[in-house]
Amino acid sequence: MQKAAEVLHISKSGLSLAINQFERELGVRLFDKSSAGTQLTLEGGQLFSSISDILSFKNNLENTAAIVANPKRYQRISIHYMNTMLKPFIDNYASKFKNAQFDISCHEFESIVRRVHNREIDAGFIAINNIQDAAIKGLVFTPVCDSKLVLLCAPDNFLNTLGRPITLENLKKQQFSIFNDKFHDEIFEKLQFQCGPLSLILRIDDAWAMNKAIIKLNTVCFGRILQGDLSSNPNFSNLKTIDIGHIIDDNFKLGWLTNPNYMISEKTQELLQDITTEIKKDAQ
């Protein structure tokens, strides 16, 4: 109670008075006080999550009000990316861009395209193997670098011992885990057309979970080399890569997707350029 009073910059007796008044308003006793200290009552514990939610909404309201009242000081920057591209975002926005609300999150290709179309986000970072794809018609795709699609597997997977290009027969013996990615789905379907049914045991977005699945469950997954290098999970780039260019089209371009009818702020443009510079460093 003393620490709480200090945080609130009031006296301990003033805090006790406020709690008593709050309990009377609610009609519920929230705390038990004894020589051993102050603890939540059973009823207080039941209300705790609701009170926490109310405080969270209050804080969000205050933050939003500050942004509305000072639009030049605060701004919202929203960038969505595919798969495992988090590291260059963290390296840049966390330290350099103050007084901004960020929405930096992982989404599927279709979701990113739709939100850029609808002007719901500033930009999307996508991987695409055909820049003339009808899905991005009317949008602007700005290439940043090229990257190959490979098969990722654990160091002790037998594919690493072959000493030759893998075959369709080799793939039949593997269990697959797949990122939520329309291009990975298309490639998986093409391979099933060539090989017959393949074992798919996991579909996920999180790089840490994918790394665990590959190591613990001995699965394989599709991945673009650069995206693995830029993953926030340091272990992801340690997985073994198996070339599959002789089986499928493995060429992809990575870059920014924007809407030509949506004005991006100077601050956001600066962030995109900084991230682009970081990605190109890793691509060299």
Side-chain angles (χ1 to χ4, degrees), residues 171-178 188 192 195-202 217-222:
L171 291 179
K172 289 181 181 180
K173 301 174 183 178
Q174 296 296 314
Q175 296 187 108
F176 285 77
S177 48
I178 293 184
F188 188 72
Q192 290 199 105
C195 299
L198 296 173
S199 175
L200 175 61
I201 66 171
L202 180 67
L217 304 178
N218 197 29
T219 65
V220 297
C221 87
F222 302 118

Side-chain angles (χ1 to χ4, degrees), residues 130-160:
N130 177 15
I131 61 174
Q132 303 302 322
D133 194 312
I136 62 173
K137 185 177 180 180
L139 302 177
V140 175
F141 177 72
T142 305
V144 172
C145 59
D146 296 328
S147 188
K148 295 285 188 182
L149 188 80
V150 295
L151 203 63
L152 300 173
C153 66
D156 57 353
N157 189 298
F158 91 92
L159 294 178
N160 293 308

Side-chain angles (χ1 to χ4, degrees), residues 210-221:
M210 183 65 80
N211 183 78
K212 286 294 183 182
I214 293 172
I215 298 297
K216 299 293 186 181
L217 304 178
N218 197 29
T219 65
V220 297
C221 87

Side-chain angles (χ1 to χ4, degrees), residues 73 158 185:
R73 182 181 176 189
F158 91 92
D185 285 338

